[in-house]
Amino acid sequence: AGVLTLAAEKAGWGTPLPAGRARGIAVHESFGSLMAMVAEVSVSPDGVCTVHRVVASIDCGRVVNPSIVEAQVESGIVYGLSAAFFGKITVEQGRVKQGNFHDYAALRMKQMPVVETHLVPSTEKLGGVGEVAVPVIAPAVCNAIFALTGKRIRSLPIDPALLKTA
């Protein structure tokens, strides 16, 4: 409950947003850590989803170096958003078309949302921070999409064709 409450509070949950934006929230536990994220998104008429802001809170036990925890959360958000928006693997003539990162799209710097990471004070044993952010960002984004459009996203990557309104 601590990570959920902190993320919601820091994101201003329940306060008004600019027209055309919505928030979504998600919670996840893995590697001995708990994480919550609030994603603020908009969806254009042609179905393109933009993540403007992410507020994350993590309880990873005792923190040795807060800057490293924040960097790991941010990188997990990049990786998770890359999968959520571009993580399609295509097969042609029985072979996977994508061979490596040169032909597999990843989030670019201009697409990166503003990220705030908040650490829950804890005296618990150390938990992991390397991958904890990856599985929670897509559900937060998809919950925001639902709040904005009424459309549930049930598979990834997010297909802009499903979100088109024009």
Side-chain angles (χ1 to χ4, degrees), residues 11-24 38-41 53 148:
W13 194 265
T15 62
L17 286 169
R21 290 193 188 185
R23 291 183 189 103
V38 176
E40 182 181 317
V41 307
R53 180 179 176 222
L148 194 59

Side-chain angles (χ1 to χ4, degrees), residues 83-142:
F85 290 121
F86 313 118
K88 186 173 184 178
I89 300 294
T90 52
V91 178
E92 287 183 4
Q93 299 179 349
R95 295 182 147 190
V96 174
K97 189 175 175 182
Q98 293 79 14
N100 209 325
F101 288 110
H102 70 282
D103 54 8
Y104 181 86
L107 198 71
R108 302 293 185 231
M109 286 174 52
K110 68 180 182 178
Q111 298 167 304
M112 185 64 184
V114 172
V115 176
E116 298 172 31
T117 302
H118 301 279
L119 309 178
V120 175
S122 180
T123 58
E124 296 295 319
K125 66 180 182 176
L126 298 172
V129 296
E131 295 88 4
V132 182
V134 176
V136 72
I137 186 62
V141 169
C142 290

